[in-house]
Amino acid sequence: MQPLVYLIEDETQTVLDWAATVASSDDTYFRRGQQLARRLGAHYRRDGLTEFGFWAPALVADIIQSERTLELEILTPLEPIDFRAPQQTLRFQRDRLPAMQQGEFVWAVVAGVKPGSCKRAGSFYWLRYIDAEGRLNYIRDPLAYSLPYGVFAPAEVYDLKRLQQRRADLGYLARSAAPKGGIDPEIPRVPAPTNILQIHVKTASAEGTLEGLTRIYQGIAEKVIAGEALTPAEAAYTGYDAIQLLPVEPTIEYRREDTNIEHEFFAIVENGNSEALNTGLTITLRQPNTQNWGYDVPILGSAATNPAVLGSLRPDEIVDFIATLHTFPEEPIQLIYDLVYGHADNQGLELLTQQFFKGPNMYGQDLNHQLPQVRAILLEMQRRKINTGADGIRVDGGQDFRFFNPLSGRVEQDDVYLLAMSDVVQDIQGYRRRLFTIFEDGRPWPEPGWEEKSTYRELIDAKPGSFQWGPLIFAHNTPTLKGFWDRKWRRVCEVIFQGDHWITGCGNHDTVRRGNQIDLDADINWNLGNTLPQALNRAYNNSATLLWVHGFSPGLPMDFLNATLETPWGFFRNTDDRYGVKVVSEEVGFLDWEVEPELYLEPHAFLQLKALGFATLEQLQDFAKALREAMVETDYNLQEVAAICQHCLGTGVDGVACEVPALEELNQPSLPRFLATLDVPKLKQFAMAFMEDSHDICNVSHYFDIANPEICQFGVALRQFRRQRPWLRENLIGRDRFNRISDDERTIFYGYRIEPHPPSDRAPEEVVMVAHMGGTPMTVNLGDWLQLDLDAWQVKLTTPGMSVGDDLRSFELHDGEGLLLVNAATAQ
């Protein structure tokens, strides 16, 4: 009798022969690497067999020299997995099979492997070996399609062909892709959208998952079809023809330096007979609960979706969400992935072979894009990622793709690789497309003064048709400060006259976070609000700024959901044991800029911190600021910080001055009791509570009922205005005008635009804009400023709360107000 799971030797030899043929071909090292990368990972075949491939250069050589055994380990659940259970302990069948080596690669074709589906778990897999010290080690699959229990767990075999065959948007793909068949049909590129909504999945719905987002958009779609009115919060999700998700690839995970088994999502608790090739073992499975803004990636698993944003833990969930967007009533919505391939977190060193890395950088590790096989694998990761159905990509940190060129003797940008990312072909059921591409690239970062030196155009010029983040959305925007838009005038003019391929706007995940870092004694524009949170919310969701960006400026506008709904936002993660306290000490400004005292007292808010004894926001703010000061004073040494806190807050020696004044000034009787005996574990406990509570308070669902109807509806109308006038994306030319009125008291933007290439059967459209960008009120005389006969013009849109009256020749404009006029003769 054959065992349940077994190696098919002749099929495996066929793969080895193919790999040997590729390796000995006349192709370049890179082209060979690309061919090999296509077959790496786990592929469930139509004949019921599963093909496995791993690239393991250093370990394979070590195993050959030491004659140690390298095995493919297959773990198959013996009972159904409940993917929604917070925790469960199950029995698995373990099969350890010989794997066959060909050069740096390991291959196996196996029978009896169960493929996963939307309702059933597949078999899990990795390579295992014993090192020279007798320790058990695992080699994981960087190109896995499914990682339901995270990057440290084995990957899951998944029936991807079945998933693609059943997706609901094949009709959309057929319409937008090259026709099937034919000889080298031209592969079309997905056209650019008109506007983009940026979304962080974990805070964008009550569930914090892609399922939750799908539920929201399906509910909106049903209302649109039925002609029902949307709620203000629902309206904030609409009017965009593209959505850009913050990175949804797997992030780093919480790892203790001592023992981590109680935190692992896939924990082997009973190993059975570890020497037996085929035996049972007991595994505890925990629902992945990582919270992260998405850019802390280990690179391994980047082709898969972060299980923490999958309520079902099934790859189908991302496909279902994309299909919901593609089949949205009236007009499809595109999906853009934010890809992080410029750096890896240090956790990647534990998961990937050393050949992936060049050395440390400020984020963790530089990736070795110049090694042909690494380059090929990274591009294959991207290909598998976009084959879920994305329409576009945003390349994070393009300035980080650098290498030392021995021919020039200089560190240079790897633009060839960046442009190759833009040309990766998506292929879903034979429908082939090249995706719309956005590059984030601030070169010459990190040179001093990079914000002013950067042109933000290198990749646009190298790849016509691509887009880059423009200077006003890329840089550290601080529109809460007086005179901000006046100081940015040079960049504003660049947007106006050369920004047609820039991503424009003011509020995104990074700029809103920068707003939390402004000193409290800065010169704040208090016209925006009476409190810091009010000022910040209105600065990044400023009606006048939106009017200028969406209603008049060239480029491709992008908004951030949390900013649009005026909800809190910050960079919070529960994935860090070592640096968690440091991150908290750097993010304490969040409490001043994003949290009102009344919000802190809400029953659902800051539950862990309240349990630690922080009854009020003021208590928390006081300690958080003192902690920040102590961390800086000790150069982030937790042992020293804990000792200082003990001395200053409860167990110190009387008569000895506290080394940190902010700690000494705390109101001792009102402090939580646990601070009196603060040690390193309690510091980490506080940091985790701060991170998770702050992350939870950023969830937009908490604020659906208080979304401002007027502001939300204004946003919808403004987005519709732009989508009806796609010519607004083009640069200003010819008769177009744009100017400002600026002095020490105020800044006003105003201008005139005319449609450059109207259809032959009608006159060109015309638009006039005026927006108060900050300061004291001013009387506006648009007819004089632009030499217009205002009797021929009509008001199309005004900012919320603004009243113009009947006389457009002269009216008063306040901070944050503005309007759009259209020529009555050509108004649509």
Side-chain angles (χ1 to χ4, degrees):
M1 291 181 61
Q2 292 280 11
L4 180 64
V5 177
Y6 58 96
L7 183 75
I8 305 294
E9 293 189 9
D10 58 342
E11 291 286 346
T12 303
Q13 188 60 52
T14 299
V15 177
L16 263 70
D17 293 342
W18 167 85
T21 301
V22 171
S24 61
S25 73
D26 293 332
D27 273 339
T28 64
Y29 286 114
F30 175 57
R31 285 289 303 143
R32 290 182 230 166
Q34 285 187 300
Q35 294 178 66
L36 292 163
R38 282 288 185 100
R39 294 186 81 158
L40 293 178
H43 303 274
Y44 181 71
R45 305 189 334 191
R46 291 182 179 178
D47 60 7
L49 303 180
T50 302
E51 188 175 301
F52 296 91
F54 292 84
W55 180 54
L59 291 174
V60 169
D62 179 61
I63 287 163
I64 292 172
Q65 293 169 7
S66 62
E67 297 184 352
R68 289 191 296 275
T69 302
L70 178 69
E71 297 169 314
L72 174 65
E73 185 167 84
I74 308 292
L75 305 173
T76 305
L78 296 176
E79 51 190 304
I81 292 177
D82 180 356
F83 288 107
R84 298 184 186 276
Q87 181 171 318
Q88 57 198 306
T89 299
L90 305 173
R91 293 290 294 169
F92 280 68
Q93 172 69 32
R94 177 175 62 191
D95 294 282
R96 287 158 48 189
L97 311 176
M100 302 177 71
Q101 181 257 343
Q102 190 278 322
E104 297 180 341
F105 297 87
V106 177
W107 306 99
V109 179
V110 181
V113 174
K114 292 184 178 179
S117 66
C118 62
K119 295 181 179 179
R120 185 186 73 177
S123 298
F124 294 79
Y125 66 95
W126 49 18
L127 291 178
R128 73 190 301 272
Y129 71 98
I130 307 295
D131 64 20
E133 285 74 36
R135 293 172 303 198
L136 175 62
N137 291 272
Y138 296 105
I139 300 174
R140 296 166 175 84
D141 178 10
L143 289 158
Y145 291 113
S146 179
L147 289 166
Y149 293 101
V151 292
F152 286 92
E156 180 192 11
V157 177
Y158 210 81
D159 189 347
L160 204 67
K161 290 182 179 179
R162 182 175 182 271
L163 167 59
Q164 297 286 40
Q165 291 169 350
R166 297 187 174 199
R167 60 186 303 145
D169 59 348
L170 289 176
Y172 165 84
L173 294 171
R175 292 190 298 272
S176 62
K180 289 185 180 182
I183 301 175
D184 295 327
E186 183 178 352
I187 300 173
R189 189 171 294 278
V190 176
T194 305
N195 52 22
I196 301 171
L197 177 64
Q198 187 187 42
I199 290 178
H200 177 245
V201 175
K202 290 289 286 184
T203 62
S205 68
E207 299 91 334
T209 62
L210 286 161
E211 276 185 335
L213 270 180
T214 301
R215 175 185 56 79
I216 288 173
Y217 275 96
Q218 286 178 344
I220 293 172
E222 291 170 1
K223 286 188 174 182
V224 170
I225 293 171
E228 299 176 11
L230 302 180
T231 67
E234 289 172 331
Y237 290 82
T238 65
Y240 301 93
D241 52 11
I243 288 171
Q244 178 183 306
L245 301 180
L246 267 70
V248 292
E249 49 257 50
T251 64
I252 60 173
E253 297 173 13
Y254 182 81
R255 305 290 289 180
R256 289 274 297 274
E257 295 182 18
D258 45 10
T259 177
N260 200 62
I261 191 168
E262 69 271 23
H263 299 287
E264 291 176 353
F265 304 137
F266 191 97
I268 299 175
V269 294
E270 183 185 337
N271 215 359
N273 183 353
S274 61
E275 299 304 317
L277 291 178
N278 305 297
T279 186
L281 70 166
T282 303
I283 297 174
T284 294
L285 304 175
R286 297 182 178 91
Q287 189 87 8
N289 62 351
T290 53
Q291 297 171 349
N292 198 288
W293 55 88
Y295 295 93
D296 296 325
V297 295
I299 294 300
L300 181 136
S302 291
T305 302
N306 181 359
V309 303
L310 297 175
S312 65
L313 302 188
R314 306 284 76 203
D316 304 68
E317 194 170 323
I318 183 67
V319 172
D320 290 344
F321 174 62
I322 293 172
T324 296
L325 299 182
H326 286 168
T327 58
F328 198 76
E330 298 179 352
E331 188 173 343
I333 301 172
Q334 296 178 353
L335 189 281
I336 301 169
Y337 278 137
D338 194 341
L339 302 180
V340 187
Y341 292 119
H343 65 272
D345 185 271
N346 285 325
Q347 266 190 19
L349 295 171
E350 303 177 51
L351 298 166
L352 294 167
T353 183
Q354 184 61 48
Q355 280 80 354
F356 274 91
F357 308 104
K358 287 189 294 191
N361 62 25
M362 65 183 296
Y363 304 114
Q365 298 290 318
D366 281 318
L367 290 176
N368 193 7
H369 299 94
Q370 282 65 53
L371 190 65
Q373 192 60 59
V374 170
R375 197 179 188 93
I377 288 174
L378 293 174
L379 288 172
E380 177 63 12
M381 282 182 180
Q382 178 187 331
R383 190 188 71 85
R384 296 185 189 190
K385 186 79 171 182
I386 66 175
N387 276 353
T388 55
D391 302 275
I393 59 169
R394 182 257 191 188
V395 179
D396 176 67
Q399 68 276 352
D400 296 327
F401 293 72
R402 296 177 296 170
F403 69 104
F404 175 76
N405 186 341
L407 300 179
S408 67
R410 299 194 307 268
V411 174
E412 299 178 2
Q413 302 291 148
D414 193 351
D415 288 343
V416 174
Y417 180 81
L418 290 170
L419 298 184
M421 292 182 73
S422 180
D423 285 336
V424 174
V425 175
Q426 179 188 81
D427 189 341
I428 301 174
Q429 294 296 104
Y431 300 118
R432 306 173 75 207
R433 307 187 298 171
R434 286 191 172 93
L435 304 194
F436 158 71
T437 306
I438 303 168
F439 296 101
E440 182 216 25
D441 195 300
R443 66 185 74 174
W445 183 97
E447 285 184 18
W450 67 271
E451 289 183 74
E452 295 304 318
K453 294 178 185 177
S454 181
T455 67
Y456 304 95
R457 293 198 59 84
E458 282 84 357
L459 292 162
I460 294 173
D461 295 336
K463 188 75 174 180
S466 65
F467 284 69
Q468 280 189 232
W469 272 32
L472 294 181
I473 201 163
F474 188 104
H476 300 168
N477 287 345
T478 52
T480 48
L481 301 181
K482 287 183 180 179
F484 169 79
W485 289 107
D486 191 53
R487 291 190 295 275
K488 289 290 184 180
W489 176 248
R490 178 177 73 87
R491 291 300 197 183
V492 167
C493 290
E494 290 175 352
V495 171
I496 289 295
F497 297 108
Q498 66 175 43
D500 60 338
H501 279 72
W502 275 343
I503 304 300
T504 60
C506 180
N508 64 69
H509 74 279
D510 204 20
T511 57
V512 175
R513 183 243 184 169
R514 299 294 178 185
N516 296 334
Q517 299 174 335
I518 297 173
D519 291 336
L520 301 186
D521 57 358
D523 194 8
I524 297 166
N525 177 12
W526 290 110
N527 291 331
L528 296 168
N530 297 322
T531 66
L532 292 176
Q534 289 177 10
L536 183 136
N537 288 337
R538 194 50 45 86
Y540 291 104
N541 191 36
N542 188 282
S543 296
T545 303
L546 293 170
L547 188 87
W548 169 63
V549 170
H550 287 267
F552 189 83
S553 294
L556 205 172
M558 184 177 76
D559 299 330
F560 180 41
L561 179 64
N562 296 67
T564 300
L565 284 170
E566 299 187 353
T567 68
W569 168 254
F571 277 15
F572 302 114
R573 62 188 190 190
N574 65 356
T575 51
D576 202 332
D577 176 61
R578 178 177 297 183
Y579 298 110
V581 180
K582 181 179 185 291
V583 174
V584 166
S585 71
E586 295 170 348
E587 298 291 333
V588 297
F590 172 83
L591 299 174
D592 296 303
W593 283 100
E594 299 274 14
V595 184
E596 299 276 16
E598 297 79 13
L599 175 58
Y600 189 85
L601 296 176
E602 286 288 331
H604 66 270
F606 297 95
L607 297 179
Q608 294 185 59
L609 289 167
K610 288 174 181 174
L612 292 179
F614 293 99
T616 67
L617 176 62
E618 184 180 10
Q619 286 179 313
L620 180 59
Q621 288 172 323
D622 288 344
F623 175 69
K625 292 170 186 175
L627 175 63
R628 176 175 59 189
E629 189 173 318
M631 290 287 284
V632 173
E633 183 75 22
T634 64
D635 194 24
Y636 302 99
N637 186 306
L638 295 189
Q639 295 286 354
E640 293 182 21
V641 170
I644 289 172
C645 289
Q646 287 182 15
H647 169 69
C648 297
L649 301 180
T651 62
V653 180
D654 292 339
V656 179
C658 180
E659 299 174 44
V660 180
L663 284 169
E664 190 173 42
E665 294 169 5
L666 290 180
N667 183 359
Q668 301 285 343
S670 68
L671 289 176
R673 186 176 302 170
F674 93 105
L675 292 180
T677 56
L678 202 62
D679 55 14
V680 172
K682 286 186 176 180
L683 277 174
K684 292 184 176 182
Q685 180 187 7
F686 168 79
M688 185 65 76
F690 183 99
M691 290 283 196
E692 293 187 341
D693 280 353
S694 298
H695 181 279
D696 178 71
I697 208 66
C698 293
N699 193 298
V700 298
S701 66
H702 295 310
Y703 312 92
F704 281 171
D705 292 341
I706 60 173
N708 186 304
E710 197 173 5
I711 290 176
C712 291
Q713 193 52 50
F714 167 73
V716 172
L718 187 57
R719 297 189 288 273
Q720 188 64 28
F721 179 88
R722 188 175 190 90
R723 291 177 68 177
Q724 292 169 347
R725 297 165 178 81
W727 58 269
L728 288 173
R729 206 196 81 190
E730 301 180 33
N731 296 327
L732 272 67
I733 58 172
R735 292 167 53 191
D736 296 334
R737 293 186 58 189
F738 179 76
N739 214 330
R740 67 170 171 170
I741 293 176
S742 181
D743 54 33
D744 292 339
E745 298 296 323
R746 62 188 70 81
T747 299
I748 310 291
F749 290 174
Y750 66 95
Y752 162 87
R753 296 195 64 178
I754 183 170
E755 184 179 8
H757 307 292
S760 58
D761 59 349
R762 65 167 174 79
E765 294 182 297
E766 298 172 274
V767 173
V768 164
M769 180 275 309
V770 61
H772 195 309
M773 306 301 290
T776 58
M778 184 176 189
T779 299
V780 172
N781 304 106
L782 277 177
D784 296 338
W785 296 354
L786 293 170
Q787 294 82 52
L788 295 176
D789 177 9
L790 292 176
D791 290 337
W793 294 77
Q794 66 184 38
V795 176
K796 185 67 175 179
L797 274 177
T798 63
T799 54
M802 181 182 173
S803 178
V804 181
D806 297 328
D807 191 356
L808 292 177
R809 290 173 296 182
S810 179
F811 56 90
E812 190 171 63
L813 206 61
H814 293 256
D815 194 336
E817 292 183 339
L819 57 78
L820 291 172
L821 304 177
V822 294
N823 191 306
T826 61
Q828 298 296 307

